[in-house]
């Protein structure tokens, strides 16, 4: 089975005394995140193994895993949020892509959670992470797809984009 594959790969590398690095584990996490369908739980198992092996994770590692929780259907924003909190607790700084993944998870969750998506956008601004058009567009998408739709909030954010001069 494919589960066995990542475990077997790590075991084979151990047996052959091949150094495993952050890049090795992050690549495996990305493979599970990019699988069709995305496999966030399996990706997270790789992160746990990485921790067990004493290999420190970085922003790219966590962002790759967050992406899996954002793109799985339905998305899992609470899991993405948990990982964001874990990153911050370990002083691993999230970047724009990290936050955009969390925002996307809220925007595509069932039900859509636009307030939480916007809260995430506000936290980006508060800690000095660059907000971009993807950040705003994802929150606008969330308001547009809320039930009922919230066009006033979508327009409010659209006006904010003009003032923020994001790229």
């Amino acid at each position: 089975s494919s589960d066995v594959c990542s475990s077997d790969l790590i075991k084979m590398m151990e047996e052959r005394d091949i150094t495993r690095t952050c890049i090795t584990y992050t690549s495996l996490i990305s493979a599970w995140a990019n699988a069709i369908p995305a496999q966030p739980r399996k990706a997270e198992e790789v992160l746990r193994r990485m921790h067990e092996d004493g290999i420190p994770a970085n922003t790219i590692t966590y962002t790759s895993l967050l992406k899996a929780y954002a793109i799985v259907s339905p998305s899992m924003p609470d899991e993405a949020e948990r990982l964001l909190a874990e990153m911050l607790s370990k002083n691993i700084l999230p970047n724009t892509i990290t936050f955009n993944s969390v925002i996307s998870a809220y925007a595509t969750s069932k039900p859509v959670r636009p307030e939480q998506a916007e809260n995430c956008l506000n936290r980006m601004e508060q800690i000095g992470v660059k907000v971009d058009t993807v950040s705003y567009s994802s929150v606008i998408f969330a308001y547009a797809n809320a039930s009922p739709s919230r066009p006033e909030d979508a327009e409010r954010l659209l006006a904010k984009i003009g003032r923020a001069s994001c790229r």
Side-chain angles (χ1 to χ4, degrees):
S1 90
S2 45
D3 257 357
V4 176
C5 291
S6 65
S7 297
D8 286 350
L9 178 62
I10 293 168
K11 186 175 180 176
M12 181 196 71
M13 291 178 77
E14 282 174 346
E15 289 168 354
R16 296 182 183 180
D17 203 28
I18 297 170
T19 304
R20 292 163 326 279
T21 66
C22 180
I23 294 169
T24 310
Y25 288 95
T26 300
S27 296
L28 283 170
I29 290 167
S30 292
W32 286 119
N34 292 324
I36 299 173
Q39 300 289 322
R41 299 280 187 220
K42 291 177 182 175
E44 192 156 357
E45 287 172 22
V46 176
L47 178 68
R48 298 296 157 233
R49 177 63 190 264
M50 185 178 183
H51 291 323
E52 287 168 14
D53 289 349
I55 308 293
N58 63 21
T59 301
I60 297 168
T61 308
Y62 274 95
T63 301
S64 298
L65 181 51
L66 277 163
K67 175 189 171 196
Y69 283 114
I71 65 174
V72 71
S73 185
S75 64
M76 301 171 77
D78 295 326
E79 296 299 321
E81 197 68 68
R82 176 183 55 79
L83 286 166
L84 180 60
E86 183 177 312
M87 282 179 78
L88 293 167
S89 75
K90 295 175 183 247
N91 292 316
I92 299 170
L93 297 177
N95 61 24
T96 303
I97 298 167
T98 311
F99 274 102
N100 284 350
S101 293
V102 179
I103 291 169
S104 175
Y106 283 123
T108 59
S109 64
K110 304 263 188 269
V112 174
R113 293 162 64 185
E115 293 88 358
Q116 291 88 343
E118 186 169 0
N119 178 295
C120 199
L121 181 100
N122 293 335
R123 282 186 287 150
M124 286 175 80
E125 293 171 331
Q126 288 163 5
I127 67 170
V129 173
K130 183 180 180 342
V131 176
D132 65 8
T133 49
V134 173
S135 314
Y136 282 111
S137 297
S138 296
V139 178
I140 290 168
F141 177 87
Y143 280 119
N145 289 288
S147 186
S149 181
R150 295 174 52 189
E152 299 84 6
D153 287 307
E155 284 188 354
R156 175 179 51 78
L157 275 172
L158 192 57
K160 190 175 177 182
I161 293 174
R163 293 192 305 272
S165 70
C166 65
R167 297 185 207 335

